Amino acid sequence: MKIDMGMIGSSAAGCGPIAADAEARGFDGVWASESVTDAFLQSQAALLTTERVSVGTAIAVAFARNPMSVAYLSWDLAAMSGGRFVLGLGSQIQAHVERRFSMPWSSPAGRMRDFLLALDAIFTSWRDGTRLDYRGEHYQHTLMSPVFTPHHHTHRIPTMVAAVGAKMTELGAELCDGLLLHGMTTTAYLDQVTLPAVERGLAASGRDRDALELYVPLFLVMGDTEEQIAETTRKTREQIAFYASTPAYAKVLASIGYENLQLELQTLSRAGKWAEMGDLIDDRILGEIALVGTPEEMPALCRNRFGGRVDRVSSYFGWPVEDPDRLRDILAAFAEPATREVAR
């Protein structure tokens, strides 16, 4: 199991030093999120200050852009990094695509399929020198003259897509190199929804499970003292409640028998009662979604719950470990084989 650093920053200016530090501390990869700045700018800053780690977007909003603009950015980042860039795309939700980005919205899985196929056609044209002639339902790319063709390179650009529901998961498993799963998940949901959809997508593409990499930013509730764990527990309950109030995660709650909680949380969120929402995340929900323990226990806890299910993970709230040698040892333990479950 690989261990990454997620959400390397909200500013492109600050991402470089953070990524360099992550590489020095032993992380396998870093991920640039997209909230208040561009994920591609963050990725460039991270790639310029690192030499070993993979750097990916988790996520770049696909439908706020078009396949050609994403292709140019990704091609250049792959070239400058020697192939360390990973393109992670997400659909976002309808309100943001239409009202924040003023872009068209349609069935997200269908539009994402078209987007990914268009990207592949563009990359193939640049790589092989073939005529660009992609004609899809939402995207058409039929013009590529030599003056606008970027410098040739042979680096692969792995693509990953963010997925919660079965349709997007199946699509990503069929067309992509990996899936960006959400920390708001349970092993029951993984086993009942996510992994069967992965198998269907892989079967459609004629590939084996080894061809696909599954990444998830986990809620790791950790600390060296009861006080530290209590504080992280509070933040985690509130964050889970925020996600659980969204209809997209209703089936995740249903997988552990909390079918009615989503509507209750949604009602509180619309009333602005944010403080009360976290109180509804009881110990059972917390235990199904989060892992609780000391930092040293986290590698074994992650392997024993998610080993064989996902391939790489990160900690949603980071690591409360300041000693670099201590953290390096903890991170190295993620590569060890699963042995026994850590009891608490």
Side-chain angles (χ1 to χ4, degrees), residues 219 230-240 317:
F219 288 107
E231 174 59 21
T232 308
T233 297
R234 180 192 61 78
K235 290 197 308 181
T236 302
R237 289 187 199 274
E238 292 175 356
Q239 193 64 45
I240 290 174
F317 288 118

Side-chain angles (χ1 to χ4, degrees), residues 209-273:
R209 174 65 177 82
D210 290 344
L212 196 72
E213 193 164 53
L214 272 57
Y215 162 72
V216 57
L218 299 174
F219 288 107
L220 304 184
V221 179
M222 52 184 156
D224 293 319
T225 66
E226 291 185 2
E227 290 76 13
Q228 290 174 337
I229 291 179
E231 174 59 21
T232 308
T233 297
R234 180 192 61 78
K235 290 197 308 181
T236 302
R237 289 187 199 274
E238 292 175 356
Q239 193 64 45
I240 290 174
F242 169 76
Y243 287 126
S245 68
T246 306
Y249 301 101
K251 290 184 179 179
V252 175
L253 293 173
S255 73
I256 53 174
Y258 285 77
E259 293 86 351
N260 300 321
L261 182 59
Q262 188 271 319
L263 287 175
E264 188 175 355
L265 288 167
Q266 187 178 54
T267 300
L268 289 174
S269 70
R270 289 174 174 172
K273 298 181 179 180

Side-chain angles (χ1 to χ4, degrees), residues 96-158:
H96 283 273
V97 171
E98 290 183 335
R99 295 167 53 198
R100 183 155 66 99
F101 293 108
S102 190
M103 294 291 278
W105 176 265
S106 59
S107 171
R111 182 174 284 271
M112 185 65 79
R113 175 180 289 276
D114 202 15
F115 198 104
L116 292 168
L117 292 174
L119 267 178
D120 185 65
I122 295 167
F123 289 149
T124 299
S125 172
W126 291 347
R127 188 177 296 111
D128 300 341
T130 53
R131 182 171 179 265
L132 178 60
D133 187 22
Y134 182 79
R135 303 172 190 269
E137 179 182 357
H138 306 286
Y139 305 102
Q140 298 81 41
H141 298 279
T142 60
L143 177 62
M144 182 50 58
S145 54
V147 71
F148 295 115
T149 301
H151 294 297
H152 184 268
H153 67 69
T154 58
H155 302 298
R156 285 199 72 252
I157 303 173

